[in-house]
Each structure stands twice: as structure tokens, then as C-alpha cells.
Amino acid sequence: MEFIDLKAQYRRYQTEIDLRMRKVLEHGQFIMGPEIVELEQVLAEYVGVPHCITVASGTASLEIALRALEIGPGDEVITVPFTWISTAEVISLVGAKPVFVDIEPATYNLDLDRLEAAFSPRTKAVIPVSLFGQMPDYARINQIAGRHGVPVMEDAAQSFGARQNGRPSCGVTTLASTSFFPAKPFGCYGDGGALFTTDAALAERMRAIRSHGGLKRHDHPWLGTNGRFDTLQAAVLLAKWPHFKWEVEERRRIGARYSEQLRGSCVVPEIAKGNTHVYAQYTVRVPQRDHVATELKAQGIPTAVYYPKCLHQQPVFASLGYQTGDFPVSEKSSVEVLSLPMHPFLADKEQDRIVHAFKTQAHP
Ligand SMILES: Cc1ncc(COP(=O)(O)O)c(C=O)c1O
């Protein structure tokens, strides 16, 4: 059994993927080929914003965005300590300081009641994470950040395909960043990511920074990087695109089926009002997490822990001065969460075996 079955996905779409990739091999425009523009148009339209800029990874996209916002030394950026390292890593990489706000236990997303207190005159942006595949309340986040005059960037690496009150993830904040890492809800077969924004000037800067700080060859008004998305990977995503809606529906169906069967034996994911969930991870909370994981592994059922250590407890962020105990909800989550196999090709029979094995081991 696979935790995320990418081989099953490739088998299903092989004809289209091979054809699209072969086209790239034949036209030979490997860097910024026509598939890049085609994909950016398709994704911008889906998200409902005028600008999509594909980039080399979800980490590169966050960093390029912070550079475009001219965030650097002396600045603070608010985010959560219960996320993948990238979210905070990029803040330090541009020379700014990550300021952490705890999550709330039901959704693992930013606790909005604690957000206001984290602002200082040095705050230059807020990066909420739409963790595991559902969005925090962006109407409220935008309102709070708006009062302080700072932009909100959704880290939507795990939530592409999710919606909030009918509006798609990546389309509800000043700017948003997603990842096409293979295991993500809309993954390619290597690294990749994208930025979305309604702000034309910001879009132009991000486009420039992606490619050595200029939009014309040998003209570099900005300090940029090589952050371009690969044309072959754009071809993979274009081949997968017609199936994306189906995949999102399957994820929702499989997630709901897990919750129906597991409720009572662990804490199942709660879907906030107005949200749809794409279950980048199907994550439950169970006190004897490590025991359950070991027993499932012995039965050939892979699980994963996202995340076993909070970012304020990581050595790389020791200089920020946080202590264990500062973010109790994140810390408790890090010792109790367990993610179960989740992908659109998970058969009911396989899922039943996972549920049975889990229930046998978990004692609430
Ligand atoms: C919340 C979050 N942010 C950022 C990233 C970074 O994406 P990438 O792996 O494409 O650099 C990830 C992916 O792992 C993620 O889960």
C-alpha cells in the first residue's frame, strides 16, 4: 500500500502525460516554453485572479513574493509554528523575523483570536497557512491585516482546489503561493510552484524576480534569481488538469468516508463553516500516536506525521527566543497528529483495511 499512490495516477493518465511531454521534447523550448504561459492562463482563470506566475517550487514562490514586497532586515512577518519549514524559512532568508501565532485545535490553522496581538509597527506581512487542505477564515484575516495596512499571503501549498464560501484557495488574499510538489493535491513530477495575485505591479515584480530580476534579456532592474518553472513539468500539469476536478471530488469523498468510520476512535478533521477540504493530508489526532503508527506499519499500512516538531522548537529558529510552552496547541498537535494514506486512487477496500487496523489499535 502507498501513502500517496503516484504510480496509480501516472498509469491512469499515461497517454495524455506522455503525449504532452513528447511535444515539449520535440519543440525543444525547455526553458519558459509555451506550456508555461498556457498553464498560467488556465490556473489564473480557475483561481479567478488576473495574474499567475509559475515558479521553481513552493518555497521559491514564498521567497520571491517576500522579495517583491521588499521585506527584509528589521521587518517582521507573522505566521504559524505548526507548518512545513518553508513557510518560516523564507522569512529568515530575506533577513526578516518570523513572528509565530498559535493555531486553533479544530482545524490546525491560525488562531484568529491571537492574531491581533502579534502585530507590531515592524509587521510587514501575514502568511497564514491553509494547512492539510482547508483555509482559515480569510475574510477575518484580511480585515485584521487591513487595519494594520499589511498584505496577506496565503500559503496554499496544501490547499489548491479547496474553497471558502465558494471562492477558491489562492484567490482570496492580496497574493498566494502554492506548490506542485508531487504529493500535493495538484502535483507535477518534480518540484514546482506558483504565485497568484490581483496586483499588477506586484505580479510584474514577481515575474521579474523569477528570472534574474528582469523582464527583458540583459536588463535587470531587480535583484532576482533563477526561480523558473520547468516546461516539462508544466506539460505534466496540463495533462493532469482535465482530471483535477475529479481528483478533488474523490479526495473529498474519501476524506468524508474516513471521518464517518473513524469518528469516536480518534479526533477526525473538522471542516470549518463555509469550507471545502482537499485533504492534502487526512490527519487525525490520537493520544498513543506512535504506538498506532508502529502497529499499522507492521500491517503494511504507511502513515506519516506532519509535523513532529514545531518550528519554534527547531534549532534553526533558536535565536528567535521562543520556549517550549509558548504555543501549547501546536505543541500538543505535534505529539498527537497522524496522517493516514490519502489519494484519489485509494480503493474503498483498502480504506476499510486501514480503518479496521486503526480502530483495533486506537483506544480513545
Ligand atoms: C505549507 C507548505 N508551505 C510551503 C511548502 C513548500 O513547497 P515546496 O516543497 O514546493 O518547496 C510546502 C511543501 O512541502 C508546504 O507544505
Side-chain angles (χ1 to χ4, degrees):
M1 186 185 296
E2 305 273 344
F3 185 67
I4 295 173
D5 198 344
L6 295 173
K7 284 179 274 189
Q9 184 190 61
Y10 176 60
R11 277 197 299 275
R12 184 79 69 97
Y13 311 145
Q14 182 170 6
T15 313
E16 292 129 291
I17 291 172
D18 289 0
L19 199 75
R20 274 280 189 176
M21 289 184 87
R22 215 176 54 232
K23 249 171 119 176
V24 177
L25 296 175
E26 282 166 4
H27 70 52
Q29 286 175 261
F30 301 117
I31 306 296
M32 298 302 283
E35 284 77 8
I36 297 286
V37 178
E38 186 182 345
L39 180 69
E40 289 178 349
Q41 280 168 352
V42 165
L43 298 185
E45 190 182 329
Y46 169 79
V47 165
V49 298
H51 310 284
C52 167
I53 299 122
T54 56
V55 291
S57 71
T59 309
S61 62
L62 292 166
E63 188 186 346
I64 289 169
L66 292 180
R67 291 197 186 283
L69 290 167
E70 300 188 293
I71 290 172
D75 296 335
E76 294 177 358
V77 177
I78 298 171
T79 191
V80 286
F82 193 64
T83 176
W84 175 237
I85 184 84
S86 304
T87 319
E89 181 179 57
V90 294
I91 300 169
S92 295
L93 265 181
V94 300
K97 181 181 163 197
V99 172
F100 294 127
V101 173
D102 208 356
I103 57 168
E104 49 101 10
T107 62
Y108 309 101
N109 277 331
L110 182 66
D111 183 345
L112 298 199
D113 292 335
R114 296 174 192 270
L115 178 57
E116 184 76 54
F119 281 87
S120 87
R122 291 178 297 280
T123 307
K124 290 295 179 324
V126 183
I127 312 182
V129 181
S130 300
L131 201 76
F132 299 149
Q134 76 166 323
M135 301 153 75
D137 181 350
Y138 281 106
R140 222 177 123 199
I141 296 173
N142 286 336
Q143 197 179 47
I144 296 169
R147 277 205 300 273
H148 294 270
V150 308
V152 176
M153 167 157 62
E154 179 187 10
D155 183 345
Q158 302 182 13
S159 60
F160 197 74
R163 285 178 186 270
Q164 183 160 83
N165 300 318
R167 297 178 66 192
S169 174
C170 290
V172 296
T173 49
T174 301
L175 73 166
S177 159
T178 195
S179 164
F180 302 135
F181 184 80
K184 297 293 192 242
F186 190 48
C188 60
Y189 294 161
D191 276 309
L195 286 154
F196 296 86
T197 185
T198 48
D199 183 322
L202 197 57
E204 189 173 288
R205 277 204 298 278
M206 295 194 298
R207 237 177 244 292
I209 294 170
R210 164 181 74 175
S211 197
H212 302 294
L215 295 169
K216 283 187 291 189
R217 206 162 160 72
H218 302 302
D219 187 26
H220 309 279
W222 290 85
L223 186 62
T225 184
N226 178 354
R228 298 177 298 242
F229 189 42
D230 188 282
T231 307
L232 275 167
Q233 297 303 340
V236 171
L237 289 183
L238 283 166
K240 287 181 64 183
W241 182 246
H243 307 284
F244 182 60
K245 209 170 141 196
W246 174 83
E247 288 207 359
V248 167
E249 281 312 310
E250 277 306 286
R251 285 177 170 281
R252 285 174 62 184
R253 185 186 69 76
I254 293 165
R257 195 167 182 273
Y258 260 139
S259 293
E260 240 168 62
Q261 299 189 48
L262 290 175
R263 192 167 281 116
S265 53
C266 61
V267 180
V268 298
E270 199 172 298
I271 305 177
K273 199 165 161 274
N275 275 358
T276 65
H277 203 313
V278 284
Y279 299 108
Q281 309 298 341
Y282 183 87
T283 304
V284 299
R285 242 183 16 243
V286 60
Q288 62 287 23
R289 184 261 315 274
D290 294 337
H291 161 77
V292 175
T294 307
E295 292 299 323
L296 291 185
K297 190 176 173 196
Q299 296 180 44
I301 298 171
T303 60
V305 174
Y306 302 105
Y307 299 92
K309 205 183 222 188
C310 300
L311 296 190
H312 67 288
Q313 298 168 313
Q314 289 288 355
V316 70
F317 291 128
S319 64
L320 295 176
Y322 291 114
Q323 309 291 328
T324 293
D326 284 349
F327 305 104
V329 181
S330 296
E331 289 166 26
K332 188 164 191 288
S333 301
S334 72
V335 293
E336 290 187 354
V337 287
L338 186 67
S339 300
L340 302 179
M342 164 54 82
H343 57 85
F345 305 92
L346 187 66
D348 288 358
K349 232 170 75 187
E350 273 184 308
Q351 192 180 22
D352 292 343
R353 184 161 92 79
I354 299 163
V355 167
H356 177 75
F358 183 94
K359 280 181 156 172
T360 312
Q361 298 304 329
H363 309 287

